[in-house]
Amino acid sequence: LQTLELNQKTGLLEVFGADNSGKVGMKEGKPIYAEAEGTTGVNAIYLLLREKEGQFTFGPGFDPAQPADVSMPVTAILMEAS
């Protein structure tokens, strides 16, 4: 997430963890929407951050029509989650 924020990337981050999977839509380095195991918004990101191991992909797939449900910057999310 920090690298995506620093490089102001736009796309879809997909996380495949041992316990949880989900996605985070990023626009210009900012998380705009998130979903994981039926949870949405910043709580979905917190759920994905708990994963100790897994895989992720980042690529095109940001959906501008998806309703925005995350309003915190990455730095604030990571500080709150720690």
Side-chain angles (χ1 to χ4, degrees):
L1 285 173
Q2 288 176 309
T3 300
L4 299 176
E5 178 183 50
L6 180 67
N7 292 300
Q8 298 183 333
K9 294 292 188 180
T10 296
L12 187 66
L13 174 66
E14 294 183 280
V15 178
F16 308 97
D19 297 317
N20 300 295
S21 296
K23 61 186 178 181
V24 181
M26 304 286 293
K27 182 176 181 183
E28 298 173 358
K30 298 179 180 95
I32 304 298
Y33 60 87
E35 183 276 323
E37 305 300 329
T39 302
T40 60
V42 73
N43 288 328
I45 297 174
Y46 293 149
L47 190 64
L48 296 174
L49 288 172
R50 288 189 206 143
E51 290 298 315
K52 301 244 184 261
E53 57 184 70
Q55 298 179 333
F56 69 91
T57 63
F58 182 78
F62 175 78
D63 182 1
Q66 183 80 18
D69 57 15
V70 179
S71 59
M72 293 173 66
V74 169
T75 304
I77 291 169
L78 294 177
M79 289 183 71
E80 189 74 24
S82 62

